[in-house]
Amino acid sequence: ALSECAYVDPRRGDAAIPVETGLLYEGSATLACAGSTPFYGGGMRLFPFARSDKGGGGCHLRIAVMSPWRFVPNVYGIFKGTYRHDTLALDFVGDDFRVTLLDDECYPFQHSGDAAGDRRAWRISVAGNARFVDLLGLPAPLAGLEMVGARH
């Protein structure tokens, strides 16, 4: 972790236990994924602890250490967001994480569900509060333009 974060402890009712900045996990893993929103798509809640900090921010880093034989019977709970295990699914919540793979291989990387090449390392961070833009309230120089396909 590159900033403050917490380990979500399933043995303590999903209590968020603060951990020091630095190395969170070292060892083999079958999956390392992160999300800043709880839902992955299609109602799959792969990151149930995303946005769970007090300010509504925070991303969820999940490291899975399970074989396909453990994954397959638990796939429903994993994608529903209810699967917990203290050694096979490690969950962290924070605003800035870096994942580095220590072998000499590059692995397929996805961003928002789309293939984004192979990676050996990646970083996910939450930028803070988002500023939303109202595209219907056009600035004065554009106010005279007609919106093609817009409903009035």
Side-chain angles (χ1 to χ4, degrees):
L2 300 173
S3 66
E4 292 180 7
C5 73
Y7 167 66
V8 181
D9 191 345
R11 298 167 300 173
R12 297 183 182 177
D14 292 338
I17 311 298
V19 295
E20 292 184 23
T21 300
L23 185 65
L24 298 175
Y25 174 79
E26 185 173 11
S28 62
T30 51
L31 178 70
C33 56
S36 59
T37 184
F39 295 97
Y40 183 72
M44 293 185 293
R45 193 174 178 153
L46 187 58
F47 306 110
F49 304 112
R51 296 188 184 172
S52 63
D53 72 354
K54 293 177 186 174
C59 63
H60 178 176
L61 172 67
R62 176 167 274 184
I63 300 170
V65 188
M66 63 177 66
S67 70
W69 305 114
R70 286 294 279 242
F71 177 81
V72 171
N74 294 297
V75 71
Y76 181 75
I78 291 168
F79 286 104
K80 187 179 175 191
T82 58
Y83 181 81
R84 307 284 187 276
H85 197 283
D86 62 325
T87 60
L88 299 179
L90 308 173
D91 296 305
F92 300 92
V93 177
D95 288 333
D96 201 359
F97 295 105
R98 180 170 177 81
V99 175
T100 304
L101 306 172
L102 299 178
D103 61 6
D104 290 332
E105 300 292 323
C106 287
Y107 292 90
F109 181 79
Q110 287 185 12
H111 186 288
S112 304
D114 294 326
D118 295 340
R119 300 277 193 282
R120 229 182 243 136
W122 51 272
R123 180 177 180 182
I124 183 169
S125 60
V126 178
N129 294 333
R131 181 175 177 218
F132 293 95
V133 178
D134 179 5
L135 297 177
L136 297 178
L138 298 173
L142 301 176
L145 296 177
E146 180 180 341
M147 298 285 289
V148 176
R151 297 180 186 196
H152 298 286

